[in-house]
């Protein structure tokens, strides 16, 4: 069995579980680039994003293809999905996976609700922990969707001193005084385990009242505003002025904005408005602390190419 490639900043969870299952059958497992394809009985490729399809299509006919980027109906068989990931495949020293799956929100830019419309618990902390550390990168679609279970998982993490990263972000609309207090006691980190960071999102201006309420609950629980990273998607169904307004509102709350420019599912193409790409760079590199966007040199240099 041989994994083909990785199209995400994080290791491919499906391939790690397949590796664990094959090793349990005493099969030899290695990465694709280490030895030629022809030496193996089975080759697997798993795509996280739909814009990987062109590369996946090159493997049709002689590889087993899967992943949500390839087919929304793609699933590991139950026996394989139940395996603890083979962390040696990528040589990582942290845990990775889902405690819960699914999201009840029907955001038009997201496919999660099409696959898992009803949130459910799928694993325990022990299923995810890497023997090398107590740090776990969670992939949960909406960790707080099952409020009661989320509180139990947070309480267990606090008791066992488990450190975690909510890599997909938390639904700020589901923050309550109780789970805000628990989140303040959790050792949360960014994905690199280098900075204390809790991620949320502001998807639209209409969501701002709920966003402000949730952020204030986190602040009242003792979480510093600069520890709160706030994603905001630009270029999907909002104008540039609306994107700038969301940025401004987040800065009023002193949280740390992170701009994501929308990519279409087909081939991963980004929108052509170069102004948004300059805006994302200005936001994500925190250049707003040293200059206004209208004064940003890279933007000014290419202003003649901007489509309004």
């Amino acid at each position: 069995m041989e994994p083909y490639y990785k199209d995400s900043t994080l290791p491919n969870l499906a391939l790690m579980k397949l590796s664990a299952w094959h090793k349990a059958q005493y099969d030899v497992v290695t990465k694709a680039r280490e030895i030629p394809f022809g030496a193996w009985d089975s080759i697997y490729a798993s795509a996280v994003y739909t814009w990987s399809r062109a590369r996946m299509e090159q493997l049709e006919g002689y590889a087993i293809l899967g992943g949500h980027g390839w087919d929304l109906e793609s699933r590991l068989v139950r026996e394989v999905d139940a395996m603890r990931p083979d962390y040696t495949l990528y040589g990582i020293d942290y845990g990775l996976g889902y405690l819960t799956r699914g999201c009840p929100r029907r955001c038009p830019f997201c496919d999660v609700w099409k696959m898992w419309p009803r949130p459910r618990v799928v694993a325990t902390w022990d299923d995810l922990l890497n023997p090398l550390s107590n740090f776990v990168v969670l992939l949960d679609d909406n960790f707080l969707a099952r409020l009661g279970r989320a509180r139990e998982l947070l309480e267990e993490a606090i008791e066992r001193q488990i450190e975690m990263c909510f890599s997909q972000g938390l639904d700020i609309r589901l923050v309550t005084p109780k789970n805000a207090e628990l989140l303040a006691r959790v050792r949360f980190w960014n994905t690199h385990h280098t900075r204390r960071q809790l991620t949320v999102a502001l998807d639209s201006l209409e969501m701002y009242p709920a966003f402000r309420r949730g952020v204030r609950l986190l602040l009242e629980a003792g979480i510093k505003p600069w520890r709160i990273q706030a994603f905001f998607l630009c270029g999907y169904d909002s104008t540039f002025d609306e994107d700038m307004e969301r940025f401004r509102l987040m800065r009023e709350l002193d949280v740390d904005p992170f701009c994501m420019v929308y990519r279409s599912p087909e081939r991963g193409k980004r929108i052509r408005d170069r102004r948004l790409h300059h805006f994302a760079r200005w936001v994500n590199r925190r250049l707003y602390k040293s200059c206004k966007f209208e004064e940003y040199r890279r933007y000014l240099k290419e202003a003649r190419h901007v489509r309004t």
Side-chain angles (χ1 to χ4, degrees):
M1 192 280 285
E2 184 177 346
Y4 178 53
Y5 77 98
K6 178 166 71 79
D7 68 340
S8 170
T9 56
L10 291 171
N12 192 293
L13 182 63
L15 294 184
M16 287 197 291
K17 290 192 173 189
L18 282 163
S19 177
W21 186 86
H22 275 280
K23 286 183 177 180
Q25 318 308 311
Y26 301 100
D27 294 332
V28 176
V29 180
T30 190
K31 290 183 180 178
R33 292 188 174 91
E34 292 180 358
I35 49 181
F37 282 119
W40 301 98
D41 297 323
S42 299
I43 300 172
Y44 293 89
S46 175
V48 177
Y49 300 109
T50 53
W51 51 78
S52 298
R53 288 190 63 85
R55 195 168 183 181
M56 295 281 281
E57 287 168 358
Q58 299 172 8
L59 293 172
E60 274 194 289
Y62 65 92
I64 301 170
L65 308 180
H68 299 144
W70 177 251
D71 180 1
L72 287 182
E73 300 299 321
S74 175
R75 299 285 191 278
L76 292 174
V77 297
R78 184 174 300 180
E79 182 180 1
V80 175
D81 197 32
M83 298 295 295
R84 180 195 297 268
D86 175 14
Y87 294 119
T88 66
L89 185 66
Y90 290 96
I92 60 176
D93 60 359
Y94 56 86
L96 179 71
Y98 298 88
L99 289 172
T100 65
R101 295 230 57 171
C103 179
R105 309 290 184 187
R106 295 204 167 201
C107 301
F109 54 80
C110 180
D111 287 328
V112 168
W113 61 271
K114 299 176 184 178
M115 299 178 288
W116 306 92
R118 296 181 180 178
R120 62 178 181 175
V121 178
V122 296
T124 67
W125 285 115
D126 289 322
D127 295 326
L128 272 56
L129 282 169
N130 186 321
L132 299 179
S133 77
N134 67 336
F135 177 51
V136 178
V137 175
L138 293 175
L139 303 175
D140 296 43
D141 311 301
N142 192 330
F143 179 82
L144 298 177
R146 296 278 302 270
L147 284 175
R149 183 57 177 150
R151 290 170 185 166
E152 293 174 1
L153 290 168
L154 291 173
E155 288 169 350
E156 182 180 356
I158 293 168
E159 181 180 351
R160 299 176 60 177
Q161 299 184 341
I162 296 173
E163 302 182 354
M164 67 194 72
C165 166
F166 298 99
S167 67
Q168 305 306 300
L170 295 172
D171 189 339
I172 194 70
R173 292 162 289 190
L174 297 178
V175 172
T176 66
K178 176 59 178 177
N179 58 33
E181 184 270 331
L182 292 172
L183 288 168
R185 295 169 55 197
V186 161
R187 295 287 292 179
F188 51 80
W189 296 86
N190 62 2
T191 54
H192 302 294
H193 203 202
T194 56
R195 182 170 180 262
R196 299 292 308 284
Q197 181 176 279
L198 194 68
T199 303
V200 296
L202 178 56
D203 295 327
S204 66
L205 283 174
E206 291 73 21
M207 181 181 158
Y208 181 67
F211 178 86
R212 180 178 56 190
R213 174 187 173 277
V215 167
R216 286 181 175 172
L217 286 174
L218 294 175
L219 299 180
E220 290 170 2
I223 298 175
K224 302 300 182 183
W226 59 85
R227 302 289 190 200
I228 303 173
Q229 181 187 62
F231 290 153
F232 66 115
L233 182 66
C234 298
Y236 177 71
D237 61 353
S238 59
T239 66
F240 182 78
D241 289 340
E242 290 171 337
D243 296 334
M244 181 62 81
E245 177 66 5
R246 278 186 291 161
F247 166 79
R248 186 188 66 78
L249 291 171
M250 286 186 281
R251 290 305 301 147
E252 283 186 356
L253 295 175
D254 289 329
V255 301
D256 185 24
F258 190 89
C259 176
M260 299 184 296
V261 180
Y262 178 69
R263 299 180 69 169
S264 68
E266 298 79 19
R267 311 297 185 191
K269 292 181 179 178
R270 295 193 176 191
I271 59 174
R272 295 181 180 179
D273 188 348
R274 293 188 60 81
R275 175 174 54 174
L276 276 182
H277 301 294
H278 288 299
F279 178 61
R281 182 185 178 90
W282 177 76
V283 171
N284 299 344
R285 299 202 173 189
R286 302 183 180 89
L287 299 177
Y288 55 80
K289 293 186 176 182
S290 59
C291 70
K292 296 180 179 180
F293 179 66
E294 295 76 12
E295 301 168 346
Y296 179 38
R297 289 184 179 179
R298 288 202 175 201
Y299 167 62
L300 291 175
K301 186 177 180 180
E302 296 190 19
R304 64 182 180 276
H305 301 300
V306 172
R307 295 185 179 184
T308 58

